[in-house]
Amino acid sequence: EVQLVQSGAEVKKPGESLKISCKGSGYIFTSYWIGWVRQTPGKGLEWMGIIFPVNSDTKYNSPFQGQVTISADKSISTAYLQWSGLEASDTAMYYCAIALNGKFYWDYWGQGTLVAVSS
Amino acid sequence: QSALTQPASVSGSPGQSITISCTGTSSDIGGYNHVSWHQQHPGKAPKLIICDVSNRPSGVSTRFSGSKSGNTASLTISGLQAEDEADYYCSSFTSSRLYVFGTGTKVTVL
């Protein structure tokens, strides 16, 4: 069974760093792109970026370039999304997803990780 | 890359058909046949219901159908049911070799 299991909810203060994870199982982790999606409270979905785990080829959508870092550790089939200095505006639900059965659509999703940033 | 434009809300009575539009540009919807639609119920992760403009993944109801004309894609839900009440998002591959979502549409079953 294909699964993406994300790390648990986080409560952080502005300026703190954070790394959340997405562990894949039931498929060949290195063969498929992994994407990260942000959903701010009561708002829509936004693509943040994607990574190809076999060579860590990474692409960011422009609003997120330089704001977050996407990485992957293929030895443990896990992708990461990290911040070096959180802001209140980073408060959101974050999802990981993979394009397993087609190159251009995202058919398996993690359960989401809620990140709350408040002083 | 700006978000694709969707109506904020669409409603219909049980059994009716509704259509949600998703408008982009020649750099996304108009340039590629890689439009997908996701359904999201409150507190849940998005679920893929249409891929590559008009294909349904295995297990998705035949009541969902997709199409595209020029820079606009559409999702039609026929035989509307109470369980269809959710948020719907279109998404497209783009010329930047990345992806963009639509603004989202809340479907209400009256």
Side-chain angles (χ1 to χ4, degrees), chain B residues 32-106:
Chain B
Y32 306 92
N33 285 323
H34 299 310
V35 177
S36 56
W37 290 87
H38 289 84
Q39 176 193 60
Q40 187 180 33
H41 286 107
K44 300 293 188 182
K47 173 190 173 185
L48 180 71
I49 57 172
I50 293 289
C51 55
D52 289 342
V53 177
S54 59
N55 296 320
R56 277 185 308 277
S58 175
V60 173
S61 172
T62 56
R63 298 185 298 102
F64 294 98
S65 61
S67 63
K68 188 188 92 165
S69 178
N71 295 338
T72 299
S74 298
L75 172 72
T76 297
I77 309 175
S78 57
L80 199 62
Q81 298 181 0
E83 67 206 48
D84 300 331
E85 189 159 291
D87 294 326
Y88 291 82
Y89 294 91
C90 58
S91 179
S92 177
F93 184 68
T94 75
S95 57
S96 302
R97 317 303 291 176
L98 282 162
Y99 298 83
V100 62
F101 278 111
T103 49
T105 298
K106 181 177 181 59

Side-chain angles (χ1 to χ4, degrees), chain A residues 15-73:
Chain A
E16 291 185 332
S17 61
L18 177 63
K19 193 173 188 178
I20 62 175
S21 66
C22 169
K23 183 173 177 61
S25 62
Y27 71 100
I28 301 172
F29 181 78
T30 50
S31 296
Y32 301 94
W33 288 88
I34 295 175
W36 285 97
V37 173
R38 181 174 79 175
Q39 185 166 36
T40 44
K43 294 191 178 179
L45 305 172
E46 299 172 273
W47 277 109
M48 302 177 72
I50 57 176
I51 185 167
F52 195 52
V54 72
N55 59 6
S56 291
D57 182 16
T58 309
K59 307 177 193 296
Y60 297 91
N61 265 327
S62 50
F64 300 97
Q65 181 81 47
Q67 306 305 306
V68 297
T69 301
I70 294 171
S71 61
D73 184 340

Side-chain angles (χ1 to χ4, degrees), chain A residues 70-111:
Chain A
I70 294 171
S71 61
D73 184 340
K74 55 190 178 185
S75 70
I76 55 172
S77 301
T78 300
Y80 300 98
L81 177 65
Q82 69 181 87
W83 297 259
S84 58
L86 287 161
E87 301 176 2
S89 57
D90 295 316
T91 295
M93 181 70 83
Y94 294 89
Y95 294 100
C96 63
I98 58 170
L100 188 72
N101 290 304
K103 190 177 177 183
F104 298 101
Y105 53 86
W106 303 82
D107 47 356
Y108 285 88
W109 291 70
Q111 83 277 19

